[in-house]
Amino acid sequence: MGRFVFIAQIVATVLCTKGKEIIASRVADLLNVPRYLAVGVGPGTSDPGDTTLFGEVSPRVICDLSLVRIDTGNDRVRAVATWTNFGAIITLTNTGIFDADSSGNLLCKADGVGQALDTNEGLEITWDIKITGQC
């Protein structure tokens, strides 16, 4: 069976409380920005106080990071990774980026993904992370 790749850009995300701390402490060193993509299969609504995903499914995968210009300068960090389902058919409902391959701190999270994946199918997820608003 071939691998299915669906490209999704997550735009409406929640910048979690801990994520603001992470950005403030690591903005000068792009290589240490949280880069572990995780996916979940549980129901729920993202909240800035969240520290985990809803029904996280292992494993987390490392994102390729780059700075991209959307509005001005290099105003966003782009994180791209493909998560592949090696188990039974599932529907991904949420995704997030962590600073560790297990446990760790949740930088940002999106719910409402709603993408079904068969065995050995993959989903390419692109995050464009722009820090806006008051911290």
Side-chain angles (χ1 to χ4, degrees):
M1 197 178 241
R3 189 179 83 156
F4 171 77
V5 177
F6 175 82
I7 299 172
Q9 180 175 341
I10 310 296
V11 177
T13 61
V14 173
L15 178 61
C16 299
T17 303
K18 192 65 177 178
K20 293 177 184 179
E21 294 174 25
I22 292 167
I23 290 168
S25 67
R26 299 190 178 163
V27 72
D29 187 358
L30 183 59
L31 295 176
N32 285 328
V33 169
R35 63 185 314 143
Y36 295 92
L37 174 77
V39 298
V41 296
T45 302
S46 296
D47 180 81
D50 287 349
T51 59
T52 62
L53 295 183
F54 309 119
E56 184 175 337
V57 180
S58 294
R60 292 181 183 173
V61 294
I62 296 176
C63 295
D64 291 323
L65 299 177
S66 61
L67 291 173
V68 294
R69 179 188 171 143
I70 302 294
D71 296 324
T72 61
N74 289 326
D75 62 346
R76 298 185 191 197
V77 174
R78 178 166 286 166
V80 180
T82 299
W83 189 88
T84 303
N85 176 30
F86 294 109
I89 297 172
I90 60 173
T91 298
L92 303 182
T93 60
N94 60 119
T95 182
I97 297 180
F98 287 83
D99 65 355
D101 62 358
S102 64
S103 298
N105 299 298
L106 179 61
L107 171 67
C108 51
K109 178 180 183 178
D111 55 49
V113 176
Q115 179 65 46
L117 291 178
D118 202 345
T119 303
N120 297 321
E121 285 186 321
L123 178 67
E124 182 177 278
I125 299 173
T126 299
W127 281 82
D128 278 350
I129 304 166
K130 181 177 182 181
I131 312 309
T132 61
Q134 298 180 3
C135 293

